[in-house]
Amino acid sequence: MPNFISYWISMKIKDILNVLEEFAPPSLQEPYDNSGLITGNYEWDCTGILCTLDSVEEVIQEAITRKCNLIVAHHPIVFRGLKSITGNNYVERSIILAIRNDIAIYSIHTNLDNVLKGVNGKMAGLLGLVNTQSLVPKEGILQKLFCFVPVREADAVRQAIFDAGGGQIGRYSECSFNVEGTGTFKGAEDTHPFVGDPGKIHKEKEIKLEVIFPAWLQQRIVRAMLSAHPYEEVAYDILTLANTHSMTGSGLVGDLENPLSEAEFLQRLKSAFQLKLVRHTRLTGRKVQRVALCGGAGSFLIINALARGADFYLSSDIKYHEFFDADGRMVLADIGHFESEQFTKELLNEILREKFPTFAVLKSEVQTNPVQYFS
């Protein structure tokens, strides 16, 4: 696809990144991670986007050739701190090449892993899983807004909060709780109350409105509520909840619509991910119905897959002794790190093309897997 279209559209790099961060908020990345803009500037005009798994030298050269000044990669090219940039290794050479050619590199790593429709959701779709949930939902993500609104204006304020992203519980939207009561207030002489008179106590029939939302939407939710609220001074509270958030977290668990034998599922797995081989534990002889998975290195979730009743858990970077942890209770399979995440560039391309259908959003043609197989 030619990318001359991009020159006819004024698009800042920040406009592209806003879409990605709406899909996978940066606050969801793990503490050890380095997601975000690694090189470049948010205010640059974007000439084209190249989606990839790894932003290595060959990919950066591809971006230069294809006139894309923004690379969106899953893995951050700078993962640990750099003390010098002299070109002594592939990381330093990649950074030098990107900076010399004004190429912005953006990483969307564990935050994309931690949203249900992210890397793991893409894998689940390839395998035909349904009823998908996060394998280990995140805690401390949900907040609740309490605000007090005159009865007549409650619908408008509630809708504004919904429009800003509040009230989502799993696959249900526009969820709220409403209790009618009486509010009292007395404004100072220089106030301009929506109801009542300055200097006099006023009683007003109000709705106590309760709505939950993910923490990263807090500013947007409060701004929308204040904008729609009629009062000069708005009484509201925000609490952080102990509840888990089913749409975010590590790994994924789901079901096959129709059970398969373990051999049949292994064949589906091999075909869907174009695998040359699958490392796995001894087969149990049982049907596969519930499947857990984690893109990338996921041995830390083996115990969680067992706890959720998985018949089969697939991930990568599993060590010898970790295979014993399946304990004959499920099949544990290692399909390779690259192989598990190889379709992430398709996912990134889909997210961006849906929002920017006429802009140059390209997929890298470079095969970045450092692991080769001899057969």
Side-chain angles (χ1 to χ4, degrees):
M1 170 184 172
N3 68 343
F4 63 85
I5 293 177
S6 63
Y7 292 104
W8 294 90
I9 303 173
S10 177
M11 190 81 68
K12 299 288 186 183
I13 283 177
K14 66 181 179 183
D15 298 326
I16 311 298
L17 303 189
N18 285 341
V19 171
L20 294 171
E21 293 181 358
E22 178 84 14
F23 187 89
S27 60
L28 289 178
Q29 70 175 299
E30 298 298 330
Y32 60 79
D33 199 11
N34 190 36
S35 293
L37 192 63
I38 293 174
T39 64
N41 191 298
Y42 290 96
E43 297 299 330
W44 284 354
D45 289 326
C46 186
T47 62
I49 309 161
L50 186 64
C51 301
T52 184
L53 187 64
D54 305 286
S55 51
V56 292
E57 291 170 271
E58 294 86 350
V59 173
I60 295 167
Q61 187 58 58
E62 180 187 20
I64 296 167
T65 301
R66 301 178 77 178
K67 295 181 169 52
C68 296
N69 71 338
L70 173 60
I71 294 173
V72 176
H74 183 47
H75 296 138
I77 186 63
V78 178
F79 194 67
R80 301 174 183 87
L82 292 177
K83 293 188 176 180
S84 64
I85 305 179
T86 59
N88 282 335
N89 56 56
Y90 81 96
V91 174
E92 294 177 11
R93 291 193 300 270
S94 299
I95 294 297
I96 290 169
L97 184 61
I99 291 174
R100 278 180 175 170
N101 291 275
D102 290 338
I103 303 294
I105 300 175
Y106 181 83
S107 169
I108 181 167
H109 189 209
T110 53
N111 47 325
L112 191 61
D113 292 329
N114 283 334
V115 292
L116 191 61
K117 294 183 179 180
V119 174
N120 297 317
K122 183 69 174 177
M123 294 173 66
L126 291 167
L127 293 170
L129 300 186
V130 297
N131 306 322
T132 56
Q133 309 169 44
S134 292
L135 181 58
V136 182
K138 276 194 172 293
E139 299 178 350
I141 293 294
L142 287 174
Q143 296 183 328
K144 180 179 279 191
L145 169 70
F146 300 84
C147 66
F148 305 86
V149 194
V151 173
R152 290 186 301 277
E153 282 71 30
D155 287 344
V157 173
R158 187 185 305 110
Q159 191 60 53
I161 295 171
F162 291 158
D163 291 345
Q168 187 84 26
I169 302 178
R171 291 178 173 83
Y172 290 82
S173 61
E174 301 194 10
C175 303
S176 71
F177 187 73
N178 304 265
V179 180
E180 188 170 329
T182 302
T184 67
F185 51 85
K186 181 172 73 173
E189 293 296 340
D190 59 348
T191 59
H192 302 86
F194 177 70
V195 287
D197 299 310
K200 296 181 180 179
I201 191 166
H202 179 78
K203 296 181 179 180
E204 181 70 20
K205 290 293 183 183
E206 295 178 332
I207 296 290
K208 179 186 179 183
L209 176 60
E210 302 181 26
V211 182
I212 67 170
F213 59 91
W216 60 84
L217 291 180
Q218 183 185 120
Q219 288 188 344
R220 184 196 301 179
I221 295 287
V222 171
R223 189 164 53 243
M225 182 270 295
L226 293 176
S227 178
H229 204 291
Y231 284 176
E232 190 174 31
E233 295 288 348
V234 180
Y236 69 94
D237 304 298
I238 294 176
L239 301 179
T240 297
L241 306 180
N243 306 51
T244 58
H245 188 229
S246 63
M247 306 300 284
T248 64
S250 301
L252 177 148
V253 62
D255 301 306
L256 294 171
E257 289 193 277
N258 299 298
L260 296 175
S261 71
E262 291 165 331
E264 288 172 329
F265 184 74
L266 280 167
Q267 189 56 52
R268 177 180 290 192
L269 179 60
K270 188 176 179 182
S271 175
F273 289 87
Q274 303 164 18
L275 305 174
K276 294 182 179 180
L277 56 88
V278 180
R279 298 168 64 224
H280 64 84
T281 55
R282 187 179 291 116
L283 302 185
T284 69
R286 297 188 290 269
K287 290 286 189 180
V288 178
Q289 176 83 68
R290 171 152 284 207
V291 177
L293 58 84
C294 178
S299 59
F300 69 103
L301 293 173
I302 293 172
I303 189 171
N304 302 101
L306 286 167
R308 297 292 294 271
D311 304 305
F312 203 107
Y313 177 57
L314 65 109
S315 189
S316 70
D317 298 350
I318 298 171
K319 297 178 181 179
Y320 174 83
H321 290 285
E322 293 168 338
F323 277 99
F324 287 106
D325 294 338
D327 200 24
R329 295 161 58 194
M330 69 179 180
V331 177
L332 174 58
D334 184 330
I335 66 173
H337 197 122
F338 171 86
E339 287 79 4
S340 71
E341 297 181 328
Q342 62 183 300
F343 297 104
T344 303
K345 65 182 178 183
E346 274 81 6
L347 171 65
L348 294 170
N349 186 267
E350 290 161 6
I351 295 167
L352 292 171
R353 286 186 64 83
E354 181 179 358
K355 186 67 176 180
F356 309 112
T358 60
F359 197 70
V361 184
L362 311 179
K363 290 182 289 186
S364 175
E365 297 172 356
V366 176
Q367 211 274 21
T368 62
N369 190 2
V371 180
Q372 303 297 306
Y373 300 94
F374 179 79
S375 58

